Amino acid sequence: MYEQTEFKIARRNLILSSLATAGAWPIASGLAMAQAAPAAPDAGGGASGSAPPAAPPPSAKAAQDAVKKVEDTILRISREVWETPELSLHEELSSKIHIRELEAAGFAIVSTGTSGIPTAFVAEWSQGEGGPKVGFLPEYDALPGLGNAAEPRQTPGPSGIEVGHGCGHNLLGAGCTGAALALKEMMIADGTPGTLRVFGCAAEETEGAKVYMARDGLFNDLDACLAWHPAPANGTGLLRTAAVDMINVTFRGRTAHAGVDPWEGRSALKGAEMFGIGVQFMREHVRPTTRLHYVYTSAGETPNVVPDHASVFIMIRDADREQVRAVTDWVRQVAQGAAMSTRTEAEIDLFFGLHDLLPNEPMVKRLHQHITATPIEWTEEEQAFAKACQREMQLPEAGITDQVLPILPEVSMGGGTDVGDVSYNTPVGIFAIATMPVGVGLHTWPVTACGGMSIGDKTSLYSAMVMAGVGHDVLTDPEFRAQVRADFEKRLKGRPYISPLPPDKLRPSGIPPHLLLRDGSGEIVEEVYEYEEGEVEAPPARTS
């Protein structure tokens, strides 16, 4: 008995410690932070960790049946996106795969090139007069250097090793789009009125489309929005992520021979270094929730030339937008001071930002009920695959978990997500499902490997089932919907949504020229953007 208890405790600690490595997924990393905190109360007022599980919601079985009807479509999306991985802002094929399946299921594609992003889209289906509106947030971008076959070892995948789904977005996207398709089946079966909206969320790994969509007000009329993310564990909780500002600081000086007449130069590198020193001296006087981390992205070419150009990429994180703005103002002053002290010039480009994530307690409790309604099960072959990945990674061979963690209490953490900007415009429900072995973090090759075989298949279907069930509850249960809205309004505290994007930032940086759109209609105007890149002469000015 003692040995069995000891093993359970060791396995639980291993699961929780593994979550800390999944920092790209806010719930996953937040779960580890919540290990020592008391469990949140359950719907009956007891502690989630000790109270018996609630009865499965009535919609759980209907959601399970509906997902079975669209299973082939969900798996087709996941597998095709996995086989053709594309980096952020390059997701031409991936977005088309989602659009193809949505159109085939009767959804109208109401927007492409959404919010200035060529690979973003919005699809919609409705039934009846009026009714609530529920949104889904599929992602589909991949990561560089993480291509891998569906094998428990590092080996090139279908497209080599250059690009792969090391964050599991092929699964995430298939689950979200699949949930909308399944919920449509449930609505048709019982005649539920309402609207389903699927937001093709391009470029989550860089400058997430959700932030641009939120600025355009695309989530404002929803009753709720649902999402999930791959992780090493199954669970959800009242977890808050950090707000973020991303800034490029560029220093410009004057070149000179560093050995012959350095007094004639003004070192941009010294400006950047002085900026870094100023940031270090800030650290004693910022809040415990503040994070300041930066890299030098340009620092000169050779030491015998005084650099006339240097740049720093800095990320500023804090508990909410108000605190981030205050720290960002201070960082601006530090940059200007560094320029003055080195007689250089500083250019400050705040090019992207994120809101903190607002949790929603009624939504979290309902999600947890659906997650526990039909536990995920792994075969011996799948556990063997997971253990082989762990062996390759020199990790304990604990396999992949089927346990569901208790609801986690409200905890703030340092990671960020563009879902935060959605959560300031509509209530959001978000959860994690184990798609990778215990101890494995996101943005690693085993995530890609698991996402291309039956482990990934099961999680795409399982996540769709959870979201379809909760989505149906939102549509059909006015009392639940009112509770979700009341919690949202309580946490929002009447604060208006103010986009973290600069007003003149029309679209993310780094969109391939051939994908840039003139007006979102799909018309490609390569000549204009070749001119912007300096590749062709400017066209003559128009006189009409």
Side-chain angles (χ1 to χ4, degrees):
M1 181 67 178
Y2 170 77
E3 291 180 356
Q4 185 179 14
T5 303
E6 186 179 53
F7 172 76
K8 286 182 178 179
I9 293 173
R11 180 178 173 85
R12 178 176 181 270
N13 288 339
L14 179 60
I15 291 171
L16 288 164
S17 64
S18 78
L19 298 175
T21 67
W25 165 231
I27 282 186
S29 53
L31 294 173
M33 295 177 60
Q35 178 181 8
D42 67 8
S48 297
S50 59
S59 58
K61 179 62 168 63
Q64 187 176 6
D65 294 341
V67 167
K68 286 181 181 178
K69 290 182 179 179
V70 297
E71 177 176 334
D72 290 347
T73 301
I74 295 173
L75 297 183
R76 188 162 55 242
I77 294 171
S78 177
R79 292 169 181 172
E80 288 189 23
V81 172
W82 184 85
E83 290 169 358
T84 55
E86 298 168 300
L87 296 176
S88 297
L89 301 173
H90 293 251
E91 314 102 318
E92 292 180 75
L93 293 175
S94 301
S95 59
K96 288 177 181 177
I97 290 167
H98 282 266
I99 288 172
R100 179 195 70 207
E101 299 296 345
L102 286 161
E103 284 185 316
F107 279 70
I109 308 303
V110 297
S111 171
T112 57
T114 307
S115 296
I117 303 171
T119 53
F121 67 86
V122 180
E124 186 173 288
W125 181 86
S126 61
Q127 174 175 270
E129 293 295 328
K133 298 181 176 69
V134 176
F136 298 88
L137 303 173
E139 300 167 9
Y140 34 79
D141 55 334
L143 289 161
L146 291 177
N148 210 85
E151 299 180 19
R153 63 192 63 83
Q154 274 191 287
T155 186
S159 58
I161 63 171
E162 286 76 17
V163 184
H165 278 284
C167 203
H169 288 184
N170 63 305
L171 313 175
L172 187 164
C176 287
T177 295
L181 302 181
L183 183 51
K184 170 180 174 276
E185 294 293 329
M186 296 170 72
M187 293 170 67
I188 292 174
D190 59 18
T192 297
T195 298
L196 307 181
R197 201 171 293 154
V198 180
F199 299 87
C201 300
E204 187 276 335
E205 298 289 355
T206 55
E207 296 180 45
K210 301 181 195 73
V211 181
Y212 290 84
M213 292 176 175
R215 181 175 65 178
D216 291 344
L218 301 190
F219 306 108
N220 294 2
D221 65 337
L222 297 178
D223 290 275
C225 211
L226 296 167
W228 75 288
H229 203 285
N234 306 297
T236 186
L238 301 172
L239 302 175
R240 297 192 59 137
T241 61
V244 184
D245 272 348
M246 301 183 189
I247 301 175
N248 282 320
V249 183
T250 301
F251 290 87
R252 302 195 184 278
R254 187 169 68 237
T255 59
H257 194 295
V260 176
D261 53 358
W263 52 87
E264 295 293 341
R266 296 291 180 266
S267 174
L269 176 57
K270 292 297 185 288
E273 290 177 317
M274 187 67 75
F275 172 69
I277 292 170
V279 170
Q280 301 310 319
F281 280 115
M282 290 175 62
R283 296 189 189 279
E284 183 182 356
H285 307 288
V286 296
R287 296 172 183 267
T289 52
T290 304
R291 300 288 184 271
L292 296 161
H293 35 119
Y294 61 88
V295 293
Y296 293 95
T297 53
S298 174
E301 300 296 333
T302 179
N304 62 347
V305 176
V306 174
D308 65 348
H309 177 275
S311 56
V312 180
F313 173 23
I314 183 168
M315 297 181 71
I316 302 162
R317 304 176 189 262
D318 217 318
D320 54 38
R321 287 302 307 168
E322 290 77 11
Q323 294 185 38
V324 162
R325 277 193 288 267
V327 178
T328 295
D329 288 343
W330 191 355
V331 167
R332 291 178 186 273
Q333 293 174 337
V334 170
Q336 295 296 345
M340 291 177 64
S341 64
T342 55
R343 291 192 170 181
T344 57
E345 295 180 356
E347 300 173 3
I348 302 166
D349 177 22
L350 196 169
F351 66 92
F352 192 64
L354 301 167
H355 271 73
D356 48 300
L357 177 69
L358 288 182
N360 190 285
E361 188 168 359
M363 190 71 79
V364 163
K365 291 178 179 177
R366 190 61 60 94
L367 281 167
H368 197 265
Q369 289 178 346
H370 279 271
I371 294 169
T372 56
T374 310
I376 196 166
E377 296 179 354
W378 304 112
T379 65
E380 291 183 6
E381 292 76 16
E382 289 160 347
Q383 288 289 6
F385 188 98
K387 292 176 181 179
C389 289
Q390 289 163 327
R391 190 160 53 248
E392 288 287 314
M393 297 281 283
Q394 298 183 337
L395 294 169
E397 295 180 30
I400 184 168
T401 185
D402 57 2
Q403 300 175 23
V404 178
L405 294 174
I407 293 175
L408 297 170
E410 188 154 339
V411 176
S412 294
M413 48 166 298
T417 172
D418 61 355
V419 180
D421 285 77
V422 183
S423 76
Y424 269 79
N425 290 276
T426 191
V428 166
I430 190 166
F431 61 100
I433 296 298
T435 66
M436 64 201 76
V438 173
V440 171
L442 291 168
H443 295 201
T444 59
W445 67 263
V447 180
T448 308
C450 291
M453 46 86 68
S454 62
I455 290 176
D457 290 347
K458 283 186 177 179
T459 59
S460 291
L461 298 171
Y462 188 75
S463 62
M465 182 179 65
V466 172
M467 287 182 285
V470 176
H472 192 267
D473 294 347
V474 172
L475 292 172
T476 60
D477 187 341
E479 182 179 355
F480 173 55
R481 197 163 60 244
Q483 292 171 350
V484 167
R485 176 58 58 172
D487 191 87
F488 171 72
E489 298 293 348
K490 180 185 71 174
R491 295 176 187 276
L492 197 61
K493 299 176 182 177
R495 292 171 292 179
Y497 175 75
I498 301 173
S499 175
L501 296 170
D504 58 349
K505 187 68 183 292
L506 302 181
R507 54 181 178 254
S509 306
I511 296 175
H514 75 280
L515 286 180
L516 285 168
L517 309 179
R518 178 174 10 185
D519 59 4
S521 66
E523 182 178 354
I524 298 174
V525 284
E526 294 184 54
E527 296 82 8
V528 174
Y529 297 106
E530 286 174 353
Y531 164 65
E532 287 187 356
E533 297 292 327
E535 297 174 11
V536 298
E537 293 183 0
R542 296 181 61 179
T543 57
S544 59

